[in-house]
Amino acid sequence: MTWSILAKDPETGALGCAVTSCFFAVGAMVPHVEAGVGAVATQAIVNRALGPRALRLLSDGETPDAVVKRLLDSDPGADVRQLHVLAEDGATAGHTGGRCPYWSGRVQRPGVSVAGNTLAGEEVAQATLDGFLSASGGFGERLIAALQAGERVGGDCRGRQSAALLVRGRPGHPDIDIRADDHAAPLDELERLLRVHVHDFLPVARHFPGVAGEHGAFDAATLEAARSERLENRRRNLTPSHGAIRAAQSAPKAIR
C-alpha cells in the first residue's frame, strides 16, 4: 500500500525519504534517515525495527547489500517485507518479499532508489524515479514532485491517505520532518506544509542550537528579525499556514 523514494542531494550531501500510502500516518513507520549515514524505508507489512537497525549497520560500515541480507536473515516475516536502503556514498540495495501484493518492486539509479507495493503498475515506480531526476527546485520539492509524478500514472491502486517527507543533513538548515497523516490529497498537503516549513518555520529554526552553532542564536536583534521575516512572509502570502500570529505583548511586570 506504499511507495517511497530515497535520495541523496548531490549539491548539499543531504539525505532524504519521501513516502505516501493508502494507510494512516505512514510517516510514523516507514522513513528513517540519519545525516552522513543513510536513508531507509521499511514498508509492506512494516517491521519498523528494521529502520534503526539498518542505520546502525550502515554507521558501522556495512554496505547496503550486506545490511539488507543481515536484517532479513533474522526476520521470519521477510516474505511480506519490503525494504530499501541508501548509503551516504549513494549505493543502494533493496528487498521485496514474494508475498508483497502486485505490483511490487524497485527501480534505482546511483544515489536514488524507488520501491513500492500495491501499485497500479511498474510505471508508477519508474515515473517517480524519472520525476525526481527531471524536477527542479530544492531537494524537498524534488522528492515530493517525484511522488506526484508517480501519482499521476496511478499511484497506490487502493487509494491515498497519508504522506511524509524526512530530510536530514543540509548544512546550516534544520531537518525537514513533515507529515500529512490523514488527508484526501496527502501529496498536495505535503507541498503546502513544505511551503510553511520554508517561509514560516525556517526564519526562526535556522537560529536553533545545532543549526547556528552549538547553542544557537538568541540575542534580541536576531529573534526580532526572525519574527519580522515570518510576518513579512505572511503579508506577501508566501506562507499558506492555517495558524495565526498575534501581535507581540510586553512581558508582565514582576509581582512584589
Side-chain angles (χ1 to χ4, degrees), residues 46-173:
V46 175
N47 180 349
R48 193 181 185 282
L50 298 182
R53 288 176 58 197
L55 291 175
R56 286 196 297 270
L57 291 169
L58 288 173
S59 182
D60 289 342
E62 298 274 9
T63 66
D65 283 322
V67 168
V68 170
K69 185 177 188 307
R70 287 189 61 178
L71 293 178
L72 295 171
D73 281 350
S74 62
D75 184 351
D79 207 31
V80 296
R81 313 285 188 225
Q82 187 173 57
L83 173 75
H84 60 142
V85 176
L86 168 71
E88 195 278 335
D89 65 1
T92 70
H95 163 84
T96 298
R99 290 172 57 199
C100 290
Y102 182 85
W103 184 87
S104 299
R106 187 173 79 99
V107 295
Q108 70 282 330
R109 294 275 188 89
V112 190
S113 176
V114 176
N117 59 87
T118 324
L119 301 183
E122 184 177 1
E123 64 272 16
V124 176
Q126 190 62 52
T128 301
L129 178 63
D130 293 342
F132 176 77
L133 296 174
S134 64
S136 58
F139 186 43
E141 293 172 311
R142 294 173 64 202
L143 287 168
I144 298 175
L147 293 180
Q148 289 281 34
E151 181 69 37
R152 286 192 293 271
V153 296
D156 186 326
C157 68
R158 298 186 185 185
R160 59 189 67 86
Q161 186 172 4
S162 66
L165 173 66
L166 180 58
V167 174
R168 302 191 191 279
R170 296 181 304 156
H173 288 77

